[in-house]
Amino acid sequence: MPNTLAHLGVAGLATRSIITAAGLKWVYIGALIPDLPWMIQRIVRIIIPDINLYDLRLYVIVQSTLFLGLILSIAFASLSKEHNKTFLILSFGCLIHLLLDSLQEKWAGSVILFAPFNWETFSLGLFWPESFPTYALTFFGLFYIIFLFRKGIQEPLNLEVKNLRRRVLFIFMLLVYFILPLFLLSQPLEANSHFVKTLKNVDERPGKYFECDRRSFACRRRHRVERN
């Protein structure tokens, strides 16, 4: 998927073109929401090394959908004085993030836009990670952040944290965000999202097609040391 710089730049340009007074901090938060589950996943794997990786992947797949992104957007927006406007900014950021992801060809990493009604992955696959569009989006994002850095720092978040009802709503929606995926794991499994169903059925998977994310790797020669 396009990197964080690309997402921040595109989200900033797109969101502020429609919502001209959108605060950059909220724009950037919205652009990062779909990636939060993947970031948390890495921490979980360190803290709980014996966790079932297939179930963890299903959990993260659910959390990274637009549906769960909107739930987390409600949670964050509840702490803002302009909660309706902030929700629009955050939700639009989630949508832009996922649409941008869908433009890039990524094995076993397509996005899910229409959950919980449809769990099929969506991908346009217009360019590869190491192609010119990816680099162009990255440099654009870097330029955008640097150009608006001072403005982004100076703009306040306008939080409303003293309101009890807002705090209760924040905690409730946060709990929904983390608990609801536990009841939806079967949906991406049946849809074979990220080929988890294929890989999980160990006895039946030989000869079946699957994809996995491409990773950089190094080959090392193993030398056998013989002692006389």
Side-chain angles (χ1 to χ4, degrees), residues 7 10-12 14-15 66 91-101:
H7 280 299
V10 172
T15 304
L66 179 61
S91 57
F92 191 67
C94 291
L95 177 61
I96 291 297
H97 181 117
L98 294 174
L99 289 177
L100 183 59
D101 279 350

Side-chain angles (χ1 to χ4, degrees), residues 64-76:
S64 62
T65 62
L66 179 61
F67 174 52
L68 267 292
L70 295 179
I71 290 177
L72 190 58
S73 296
I74 295 174
F76 288 151

Side-chain angles (χ1 to χ4, degrees), residues 101-144:
D101 279 350
S102 72
L103 297 180
Q104 189 180 83
E105 183 68 46
K106 185 175 175 65
W107 294 342
S110 303
V111 302
I112 300 176
L113 289 177
F114 307 108
F117 309 106
N118 188 322
W119 290 87
E120 296 297 325
T121 56
F122 174 77
S123 176
L124 295 175
L126 300 182
F127 56 88
W128 289 91
E130 61 278 353
S131 63
F132 174 77
T134 299
Y135 300 135
L137 289 170
T138 300
F139 282 113
F140 169 75
L142 178 62
F143 173 79
Y144 187 90

Side-chain angles (χ1 to χ4, degrees), residues 22 28 30 33 45 52 61 63 68 75 97 101-102 107 111 122 131 147 158 168 173 177 194 225:
Y28 292 158
I33 284 178
R45 293 181 63 175
N52 186 301
I61 289 173
Q63 272 197 328
L68 267 292
H97 181 117
D101 279 350
S102 72
W107 294 342
V111 302
F122 174 77
S131 63
F147 184 74
N158 290 326
V168 171
M173 297 308 296
Y177 177 74
H194 295 213
V225 178

